[in-house]
Amino acid sequence: MEVPRHWRLKQQRYALVGEVCPHCDSKIFPPRDVCPYCGEEAKTQYTMSGKGKVYSYTIMRDAPAGYEENIPYTVAVVALEEGPMVTAQLTDLGDKPVEIGMPVEMVTRRIRQDGDKHGMLVYGYKFRPAVRA
Amino acid sequence: MTDVVIAGIGQIPVGEHWDLSLREMGVRAIRQAVADSGGLRPQALYVGNMLSSILSHQANLGALLVDYAGLNGIESYTAEAAGASGAAALRLGYLAVLSGYIDCAVVAGVEKWTDAVGSELESALSMGMDYDFEAIPGLGANGQAGLIMQRYLYENNLEADALAGFPILAHANAVNNPNAMYHKAITREMYQKADLITDPLNLYDSAPYADGAAAVVICRRDLLPEKPVHPLVRISGSAVAIDTLAVHDRRDPMGFEAAHRSIQQACRKAGMRPEDADMFEFCDSFSVYAALSLEAAGFADRGEGWELATDGTLALDGRLPSLTMGGQKGRGNPLGASGVYQIVEAVQQLRGEAGANQVKNAHCALVQSLGGPASTAVTHVLERISD
């Protein structure tokens, strides 16, 4: 059980809350309070739109503990419209083949289950093929 | 400034050692290296290890191994940098001897992989990535390499088997290495039919994780007799560079920036250019990392590193012999020990003790270890001291 660890990231997991650098205007996710582009302090909150494109993807066939029930599942690196890239599972794919460049959007889903039915559930962002305009 | 030389080497065969514990493996490699050095007395032991805290429920390997190797009283602790842990431990030892505070040190890499199974191992491996933002979303270490390979094939418009040359070369060279995990060559057809692990990455793109321990004794040149037991090899360059931990945080995930920097810095220290080296032991934990390492070192243009594995460049009689004792794919990948195995193998070559796989006229070797997808890159330049 790692309750505080997941709780303190709730804004990131549920809403892709990152930062914007007041010095160079770069958007930052995950938040790190120091701009990775210009090195200045960057603590201004900024919420990403959740829209992006698949930069690359793979299929996990052997999963780490807590993810076995989902195998095989697709994990992508998604390039967000605002610039940052995020690692996330793709979901709601249906029969649609995944392609690099495919437009996707963020949804909130169950990510992981710890142990048996009494274990903690971790929710967070996944991405699905874009349906919103 | 005094030369830092490698006076002794030791290694146990890489494999699944159900009958050996972490301490037994480590002690065997250490004692072998000390014996090979002619019985030098080390003042320090630097340990490279990645996963003992979780897989063996054992921390403080410095105390454990010094105690069991019969070296009580000396300095010791662990360096951890994922798959580059062994190389980072060598860096610690090099700096200690170079500084003059330590005259003689043992550097040992050890990894006990087979004490856990299945998803436990996958979870342990994930510790080398960004836990909050790569592992929690469900990515594993093999998946991270799968993502990079997918993009590499896409950007360079390559066939699905473009990277096959790396495991084919590694397996061919492992056949003659008694310490390798596999002694069977593989073919392109076998590669094409292999099961996918993290598409498009298949079984042969991924070096097998295994148990292993390797060690070297390093010391000041002037500690050794005029006529040493072995041809002497000195460490003439050493550098570590860091890139982002998470792949998604890189501006250019297809450029192994840390691998580039550490090669440049180590070669500058050694007063040479990368192309002056007679051989290159790089990281082939995943075949795409091998291609990107060659590009980062400047041996191939962007997107063309894979060609060197098929055009003969990397063969034992090629322009840049590589993975000469089987690399991680053929010898096996004991994570925190891998970096020390690479050094031991390069020393075998430079001494002229590499048997059937001997590279002719090998005087200078480049050795590079990566932690993750070159999140950490450690490079050493080794040179045979001419008689």
Side-chain angles (χ1 to χ4, degrees):
Chain A
M1 292 282 269
E2 303 173 318
V3 176
R5 175 159 201 168
H6 298 298
W7 167 80
R8 70 175 169 257
L9 289 174
K10 58 188 183 300
Q11 284 193 301
Q12 285 70 49
R13 294 271 169 74
Y14 303 157
L16 291 176
V17 175
E19 289 163 334
V20 57
C21 175
H23 306 280
C24 74
D25 202 40
S26 294
K27 311 302 186 292
I28 302 161
F29 187 89
R32 49 175 74 201
D33 294 355
V34 176
C35 177
Y37 300 95
C38 71
E40 298 290 327
E41 190 171 272
K43 292 182 167 178
T44 313
Q45 279 203 348
Y46 186 93
T47 302
M48 306 295 148
S49 66
K51 290 172 180 289
K53 288 182 175 166
V54 172
Y55 170 82
S56 191
Y57 64 96
T58 188
I59 299 171
M60 293 290 295
R61 295 175 187 278
D62 295 308
Y67 298 83
E68 298 97 329
E69 64 173 8
N70 291 334
I71 51 173
Y73 57 91
T74 303
V75 179
V77 170
V78 174
L80 299 174
E81 274 182 357
E82 294 84 357
M85 298 206 289
V86 293
T87 299
Q89 288 182 41
L90 297 185
T91 188
D92 302 3
L93 288 169
D95 297 331
K96 205 174 164 65
V98 181
E99 284 175 5
I100 288 176
M102 186 171 95
V104 290
E105 63 191 16
M106 182 259 199
V107 289
T108 305
R109 293 291 156 83
R110 193 167 86 193
I111 304 283
R112 185 171 97 162
Q113 174 159 12
D114 285 342
D116 60 15
K117 62 184 174 172
H118 301 298
M120 186 175 64
L121 302 176
V122 178
Y123 287 84
Y125 50 80
K126 292 188 184 182
F127 284 77
R128 70 180 176 195
V131 295
R132 283 180 277 155
Chain B
M1 210 183 312
T2 182
D3 273 342
V4 178
V5 299
I6 298 178
I9 56 175
Q11 61 182 324
I12 69 166
V14 175
E16 297 178 326
H17 293 300
W18 309 107
D19 55 334
L20 292 178
S21 65
L22 183 147
R23 71 186 75 184
E24 288 170 311
M25 297 193 308
V27 167
R28 282 186 191 189
I30 291 166
R31 291 185 65 86
Q32 231 189 79
V34 170
D36 187 64
S37 76
L40 289 176
R41 298 171 68 89
Q43 297 159 330
L45 167 68
Y46 302 104
V47 182
N49 173 268
M50 177 181 175
L51 297 174
S52 75
S53 292
I54 187 160
L55 294 185
S56 306
H57 310 296
Q58 182 67 63
N60 206 353
L61 299 187
L64 177 75
L65 293 176
V66 161
D67 182 9
Y68 271 74
L71 298 170
N72 273 344
I74 71 170
E75 165 180 336
S76 186
Y77 34 84
T78 300
E80 191 276 308
S85 300
L90 180 67
R91 166 87 173 161
L92 276 184
Y94 170 74
L95 293 177
V97 174
L98 193 69
S99 75
Y101 276 90
I102 296 287
D103 293 326
C104 176
V106 183
V107 174
V110 58
E111 201 70 59
K112 184 64 197 169
W113 174 253
T114 57
D115 273 356
V117 290
S119 61
E120 255 185 286
L121 291 173
E122 290 286 334
S123 296
L125 269 184
S126 301
M127 296 199 313
M129 307 190 303
D130 182 330
Y131 183 81
D132 282 341
F133 294 101
E134 290 186 305
I136 285 294
L139 190 64
N142 293 311
Q144 198 182 34
L147 286 168
I148 292 174
M149 181 170 169
Q150 182 91 270
R151 185 76 194 185
Y152 186 81
L153 297 179
Y154 168 83
E155 278 193 14
N156 302 305
N157 214 358
L158 300 176
E159 299 291 333
D161 66 349
L163 296 165
F166 293 106
I168 292 171
L169 172 73
H171 274 266
N173 288 345
V175 169
N176 294 316
N177 177 2
N179 292 300
M181 186 166 176
Y182 297 126
H183 297 104
K184 197 165 180 293
I186 64 163
T187 63
R188 185 166 288 270
E189 290 67 37
M190 289 164 73
Y191 178 92
Q192 288 162 339
K193 287 183 190 156
D195 288 342
L196 293 168
I197 301 178
T198 48
D199 318 19
L201 187 145
N202 76 30
L203 190 65
Y204 288 122
D205 289 310
S206 170
Y209 303 110
D211 300 333
V216 295
V217 174
I218 59 176
C219 68
R220 300 161 55 92
R221 169 73 180 90
D222 51 21
L223 272 191
L224 294 170
E226 264 316 300
K227 293 250 175 246
V229 198
H230 306 282
L232 287 180
V233 171
R234 72 186 178 106
I235 302 174
S236 54
S238 166
V240 183
I242 294 295
D243 200 345
T244 68
L245 183 58
V247 170
H248 59 233
D249 283 330
R250 293 192 186 167
R251 260 166 264 191
D252 177 19
M254 294 299 109
F256 272 6
E257 185 58 34
H260 172 74
R261 270 177 202 241
S262 77
I263 288 261
Q264 292 294 322
Q265 288 169 4
C267 285
R268 196 174 311 133
K269 183 102 185 2
M272 58 177 277
R273 297 166 306 168
E275 56 267 36
D276 297 331
D278 300 311
M279 54 180 284
F280 183 19
E281 293 294 344
F282 52 77
C283 174
D284 67 330
S285 56
F286 299 103
S287 53
V288 69
Y289 293 2
L292 290 171
S293 295
L294 287 163
E295 293 168 23
F299 291 115
D301 286 338
R302 188 180 169 103
E304 295 177 359
W306 62 278
E307 291 178 16
L308 304 188
T310 53
D311 67 7
T313 303
L314 305 183
L316 292 171
D317 59 356
R319 182 166 53 80
L320 187 71
S322 295
L323 314 178
T324 63
M325 301 304 277
Q328 303 197 85
K329 180 68 195 80
R331 176 237 300 131
N333 181 8
L335 294 159
S338 287
V340 184
Y341 274 95
Q342 288 178 299
I343 295 291
V344 165
E345 291 160 0
V347 171
Q348 287 179 305
Q349 290 288 1
L350 297 174
R351 282 181 179 178
E353 295 174 357
N357 286 7
Q358 183 62 48
V359 172
K360 288 200 181 66
N361 302 318
H363 289 280
C364 175
L366 272 181
V367 185
Q368 185 174 63
S369 300
L370 303 183
S375 294
T376 306
V378 185
T379 305
H380 286 96
V381 180
L382 306 186
E383 275 181 80
R384 178 178 170 147
I385 298 177
S386 305
D387 309 321

